[in-house]
Amino acid sequence: MMKPHLPNFRTGFRIFNSFLCSCFETGPSSSRVAASPYATCTSATLPEELNQVSNNMLVDSFGRHHTYLRISLTERCNLRCQYCMPAEGVDLTPASNILSQNELVRLANLFVSSGVNKIRLTGGEPTVRKDIEDICLHLSNLKGLKTLAITTNGITLARKLPKLKECGLNAVNISLDTLVPAKFEFLTRRKGHERVMDSINAAIDLGYNPVKVNCVLMRGFNDDEICNFVELTREKPINIRFIEFMPFDGNVWNVKKLVPYAEMLDTVVR
């Protein structure tokens, strides 16, 4: 078996990990910890050491070369989903500490030059970032990048997607946890179910294939809709991706809300 490039990987990772440690805010409050999966990298300047990234930087201890990068564009979100954010929202990082467009593109270019061929834009809600079209245009022009994707709640996507596609966005994931408008409003603490459905249909009309729909499955809330979601895939190029309800501080996680994969699959088969 070929020995993985551990020394180079560890050196590269140590440089980048030091950068990350200074980039992500942590704190004792439950609201900040609950939002940490969506934290935005914050740095006014990127360390010069990152210019020395080698192709071995993304090789892990098992010898695997990682080719997929997720970039959080913002902490902001126009929904308040109960499983990921408190009703009052979270304390936002000052705008001056958020990666600028130039810094973001520079960082992405370093990863792409090291072998990354897929970038996914996330948040918060990435479409609330005002310069998202320009970001997509610059990222899609990076030599070696094959896929530029987005994960979005779909609230504003329908009207922005034509321009985003022109700017090189070629893969779309839309989050939708229920097909019932009243349940959507209860879970997200906002209206907007129809707008999300419009975004799904807009993506289909624009030729995205497949349009991936992410559904966080929770027993007692939407587990009775499993087959209704699957039915969406019968006539349209939609892939439903059922996602495990994950525990975060402050989201009232309970193991009883989990729906095992085998049980879900059995429901679909029957």
Side-chain angles (χ1 to χ4, degrees):
M1 183 174 68
M2 182 179 295
K3 184 177 180 180
H5 302 286
L6 295 180
N8 287 330
F9 167 72
R10 286 170 176 164
T11 300
F13 183 79
R14 190 160 52 244
I15 293 171
F16 187 63
N17 192 49
S18 297
F19 165 65
L20 287 182
C21 287
S22 66
C23 286
F24 288 88
E25 283 197 25
T26 57
S29 66
S30 60
S31 63
R32 183 176 299 281
V33 174
S36 62
Y38 305 97
T40 301
C41 192
T42 60
S43 175
T45 58
L46 301 181
E48 289 301 323
E49 290 91 336
L50 282 177
N51 287 323
Q52 303 170 15
V53 171
S54 71
N55 286 335
N56 294 329
M57 171 183 166
L58 301 181
V59 177
D60 67 17
S61 58
F62 292 94
R64 300 172 299 186
H65 195 121
H66 293 273
T67 59
Y68 179 19
L69 174 67
R70 298 171 67 96
I71 300 177
S72 174
L73 297 184
T74 179
E75 295 168 312
R76 297 179 182 275
C77 187
N78 44 15
L79 296 180
R80 293 292 181 270
C81 296
Q82 294 188 33
Y83 55 73
C84 73
M85 188 180 291
E88 66 276 11
V90 297
D91 295 331
L92 297 174
T93 302
S96 59
N97 289 339
I98 300 295
L99 282 173
S100 69
Q101 182 183 140
N102 288 339
E103 290 168 337
L104 188 150
V105 173
R106 176 188 166 199
L107 182 59
N109 185 52
L110 288 166
F111 274 92
V112 172
S113 65
S114 298
V116 162
N117 57 36
K118 178 178 180 179
I119 292 178
R120 177 173 300 280
L121 303 178
T122 68
E125 169 50 39
T127 61
V128 304
R129 180 147 172 168
K130 295 180 180 179
D131 59 349
I132 187 172
E133 290 90 353
D134 290 336
I135 289 173
C136 285
L137 182 61
H138 287 298
L139 293 180
S140 65
N141 284 324
L142 294 177
K143 185 178 180 180
L145 187 69
K146 297 179 181 178
T147 303
L148 180 60
I150 193 172
T151 296
T152 168
N153 60 31
I155 293 294
T156 64
L157 183 67
R159 63 182 175 85
K160 293 188 176 185
L161 192 53
K163 180 64 174 179
L164 290 172
K165 185 177 183 182
E166 288 180 11
C167 293
L169 186 73
N170 55 18
V172 175
N173 286 46
I174 300 174
S175 297
L176 180 65
D177 300 318
T178 177
L179 299 174
V180 181
K183 289 166 70 173
F184 177 91
E185 186 173 344
F186 169 78
L187 182 67
T188 66
R189 304 184 177 102
R190 298 289 189 274
K191 296 181 183 293
H193 182 270
E194 184 177 355
R195 296 167 70 180
V196 179
M197 296 302 299
D198 288 344
S199 291
I200 293 173
N201 290 322
I204 293 171
D205 293 341
L206 285 168
Y208 286 93
N209 186 0
V211 176
K212 296 181 179 180
V213 175
N214 296 344
C215 175
V216 176
L217 203 59
M218 293 165 281
R219 188 183 303 281
F221 177 74
N222 60 355
D223 55 323
D224 60 333
E225 297 184 62
I226 292 175
C227 291
N228 294 332
F229 271 102
V230 173
E231 186 66 26
L232 293 178
T233 72
R234 186 185 297 275
E235 304 293 342
K236 296 181 179 181
I238 294 175
N239 278 7
I240 301 297
R241 297 151 55 86
F242 294 109
I243 299 173
E244 179 181 336
F245 176 41
M246 300 294 291
F248 300 121
D249 288 349
N251 74 342
V252 198
W253 181 87
N254 189 313
V255 68
K256 294 181 179 179
K257 294 182 180 180
L258 293 180
V259 181
Y261 165 79
E263 178 183 331
M264 178 178 58
L265 185 59
D266 183 61
T267 298
V268 175
V269 170
R270 285 188 289 106

